[in-house]
Amino acid sequence: MGQEEVNAASKSGNVLVLPLPVQGHINPILQFSKRLVSKGIKVTLFTTVFASKSVKTGAGSVSVVPFSDGYDETGLTKLSGDNYMDTFKAAVRKHLPELIENKERLGCPIRWLVYDSVIPWVLPLAKELGLLGAVFYTQSSSVNAIYYQVYKGLIPTPVNGPTTSVPGIPLVEPHELPSFVYKPDSYPTILTTVLDQFSNIDEADWLLFNTYDKLEEEAVNWMAKQSHTRMTTIGPTIPSFYLDKRLEDNDYGLHLFTPNSDTCMKWLDTKEVASVVYISFGSLAALGEEQMEEIAWGIRNSNYNFLWVVRASEEDKLPKNFVEETSEKGLVTRWCRQLEVLAHKAVGCFVTHCGWNSTLEAVSLGVPMVAMPQWTDQTTNAKCIEDVWRVGIRAKTDEKGMVNRRKVEESIKEVMEGERREEIKKNAIRLQDLAVEAVDEGGSSDMNIDEFVSEILCT
């Protein structure tokens, strides 16, 4: 390859993306990558062998380069998070320079690295390799603002006082803060990890936030003032098929669990409009057996049709004979294509753990929610769902921290048929429209991505 061809290749825009290898982190970065590809950028997803086995990106889309972290058969799912991060870090330090050198030799040099915010230690390595770094934040801007204030010592841990001021949110009670902040001794290693997302924020070349301006305007504007680094919103990062329909993707392209899609959709097709309660607690949350039983009874007592995702590892926590005894009303499945379900006309309510991806999906598809946060940022997301966006309600816990069957039933009925039903649905549809507007041609997120693309092509 001649020098002129090498220069042309380098100007075509080659970007490497590096997420933490779990579904909730890979999916949003992968969707953002597809947006970049649609605008002429060549994107390579650099991920573990285990995760790469489940990635389907389609011809002419994102290319995938796997590397071994030593756990090619099990991945992060079978390891404790504390130990895994050290393992992952060592693997990246070993394999990233090899990949950059190889791309250079092939005449397709990488100039930009888009990396997960929870691995800030990769930025100095990227700089050593001559790369520019764009950090991708997978949580909400409100949660970013909280973690940033804790990192800077503006919010003490443990928290003092009955309420805390957070940009864009009414006064927040301690238990509505992320669990790592409210109970800093519970997961000290993870607290350090989430705070370290801001350890070298000023050394990064671009900040990418997975949200949209009209959803979290105040928090986004506040965060933008905290760093001199360019910051833009690029979300919501869900497949284009469910938003602006400008790209030919109707799925994330990654499922670490096998979805029972056909059965779920055929079952939903037999149900009336807005008659089904959909329940899912995501890919990681593990509920206690007593809590599972209370949810089961609450769902049954509400007397609504229900579709409940219960992962294989959680099935033994269900009450005995529950599946058989509720088969006329409900369907329990190990996994499903969540977007496909949320977009179905039969679904009237989403009982959710309030992970940011699930929250964004429901907001983007106009689905009212019953919030049952478990830990991490989910408690703050639930606060936004109920008190800021008013697109759902939070099921209240008892003195044991449990949502009992009565509260489960009451919360579902409140969203499905209660006095606030119309207001909640109206707000949900409004946020859905604003999500589509943000990513559609000329929308705020679309223009921000265009700006980032221009920067890639100029460097």
Side-chain angles (χ1 to χ4, degrees):
M1 181 178 282
Q3 189 59 45
E4 287 185 11
E5 291 174 290
V6 170
N7 290 339
S10 65
K11 285 294 183 185
S12 67
N14 292 293
V15 173
L16 190 69
V17 297
L18 177 62
L20 190 71
V22 294
Q23 184 161 314
H25 286 243
I26 294 176
N27 274 337
I29 288 183
L30 187 55
Q31 286 307 305
F32 173 63
S33 299
K34 291 176 181 178
R35 293 276 178 185
L36 293 180
V37 169
S38 75
K39 295 176 184 291
I41 301 300
K42 294 176 182 174
V43 182
T44 301
L45 171 66
F46 193 45
T47 192
T48 59
V49 170
F50 176 78
S52 72
K53 293 173 185 175
S54 301
V55 176
K56 296 177 178 61
T57 61
S61 183
V62 180
S63 62
V64 182
V65 173
F67 66 91
S68 177
D69 58 358
Y71 297 91
D72 299 352
E73 299 304 318
T74 59
L76 178 53
T77 53
K78 296 289 192 297
L79 296 165
S80 80
D82 292 2
N83 296 334
Y84 182 76
M85 196 60 93
D86 291 336
T87 304
F88 183 65
K89 186 175 182 177
V92 170
R93 286 186 180 278
K94 176 184 177 183
H95 296 293
L96 182 59
E98 295 171 355
L99 174 63
I100 298 302
E101 184 181 335
N102 188 43
K103 288 283 189 180
E104 189 82 36
R105 192 172 62 251
L106 292 172
C108 305
I110 300 291
R111 191 72 182 104
W112 279 85
L113 174 68
V114 175
Y115 64 95
D116 199 313
S117 62
V118 297
I119 55 171
W121 43 260
V122 81
L123 182 60
L125 176 60
K127 297 288 185 180
E128 286 175 25
L129 296 169
L131 306 182
L132 295 164
V135 55
F136 188 103
Y137 287 89
T138 55
Q139 68 251 337
S140 75
S141 293
S142 297
V143 169
N144 282 331
I146 293 170
Y147 286 151
Y148 183 84
Q149 289 182 85
V150 174
Y151 178 76
K152 289 292 187 179
L154 302 173
I155 296 177
T157 54
V159 180
N160 295 333
T163 59
T164 302
S165 178
V166 177
I169 308 181
L171 287 176
V172 177
E173 295 180 33
H175 70 275
E176 295 171 330
L177 292 164
S179 60
F180 309 136
V181 176
Y182 174 42
K183 298 178 179 176
D185 296 334
S186 56
Y187 297 93
T189 305
I190 302 181
L191 176 61
T192 300
T193 298
V194 297
L195 297 186
D196 280 352
Q197 293 177 95
F198 305 98
S199 60
N200 53 12
I201 189 173
D202 290 328
E203 278 77 61
D205 299 285
W206 206 285
L207 310 179
L208 302 163
F209 281 14
N210 181 20
T211 187
Y212 55 104
D213 57 349
K214 298 287 176 59
L215 184 67
E216 298 188 280
E217 196 160 18
E218 196 174 327
V220 166
N221 291 339
W222 187 88
M223 282 301 301
K225 293 174 183 173
Q226 308 311 310
S227 172
H228 61 69
T229 305
R230 186 79 177 92
M231 191 217 91
T232 52
T233 56
I234 48 79
T237 55
I238 72 172
S240 175
F241 176 83
Y242 297 99
L243 292 169
D244 56 314
K245 303 188 188 319
R246 291 191 294 155
L247 307 185
E248 292 182 4
D249 65 324
N250 63 356
D251 189 41
Y252 279 113
L254 172 81
H255 293 279
L256 296 182
F257 303 95
T258 304
N260 189 6
S261 183
D262 195 45
T263 302
C264 292
M265 299 314 290
K266 285 181 178 175
W267 184 85
L268 285 171
D269 286 343
T270 67
K271 304 302 178 229
E272 299 287 327
V273 173
S275 68
V276 174
V277 176
Y278 168 60
I279 310 105
S280 176
F281 292 90
S283 58
L284 292 175
L287 279 65
E289 189 170 330
E290 188 179 351
Q291 181 64 88
M292 286 283 280
E293 185 171 345
E294 292 300 308
I295 292 170
W297 280 106
I299 293 166
R300 183 173 182 174
N301 293 344
S302 75
N303 205 33
Y304 279 105
N305 299 317
F306 68 89
L307 171 57
W308 189 2
V309 172
V310 179
R311 301 192 312 275
S313 59
E314 303 286 287
E315 284 178 329
D316 61 350
K317 299 176 184 177
L318 287 170
K320 189 178 180 183
N321 299 326
F322 173 79
V323 174
E324 294 79 8
E325 291 172 6
T326 58
S327 59
E328 286 189 18
K329 279 284 187 182
L331 175 65
V332 177
T333 183
R334 290 181 173 179
W335 200 245
C336 70
R337 295 185 191 277
Q338 182 159 287
L339 277 170
E340 201 174 37
V341 170
L342 289 173
H344 199 285
K345 66 182 188 307
V347 173
C349 167
F350 179 20
V351 179
T352 173
H353 66 308
C354 307
W356 184 236
N357 289 328
S358 287
T359 300
L360 266 186
E361 288 169 4
V363 163
S364 299
L365 292 170
V367 181
M369 286 173 269
V370 170
M372 284 187 59
Q374 302 301 303
W375 69 322
T376 179
D377 62 341
Q378 296 161 14
T379 40
T380 307
N381 296 339
K383 171 74 170 177
C384 291
I385 287 167
E386 182 172 50
D387 293 337
V388 180
W389 309 320
R390 301 183 185 278
V391 292
I393 62 169
R394 177 171 179 172
K396 300 297 185 282
T397 55
D398 59 22
E399 63 281 354
K400 295 190 296 182
M402 188 93 57
V403 180
N404 62 44
R405 63 190 67 182
R406 184 171 59 83
K407 282 296 180 187
V408 172
E409 179 187 354
E410 286 177 0
S411 301
I412 289 171
K413 285 183 173 178
E414 179 68 20
V415 171
M416 292 289 279
E417 62 185 69
E419 291 180 3
R420 294 171 54 192
R421 175 178 174 270
E422 292 302 323
E423 179 204 353
I424 287 171
K425 184 61 180 175
K426 181 181 175 183
N427 291 335
I429 295 299
R430 182 179 66 84
L431 290 182
Q432 178 184 20
D433 292 342
L434 291 172
V436 175
E437 179 185 291
V439 297
D440 207 354
E441 189 170 0
S444 55
S445 292
D446 184 56
M447 290 194 294
N448 289 338
I449 295 171
D450 281 343
E451 190 179 351
F452 183 52
V453 166
S454 296
E455 185 72 13
I456 292 169
L457 294 173
C458 289
T459 51

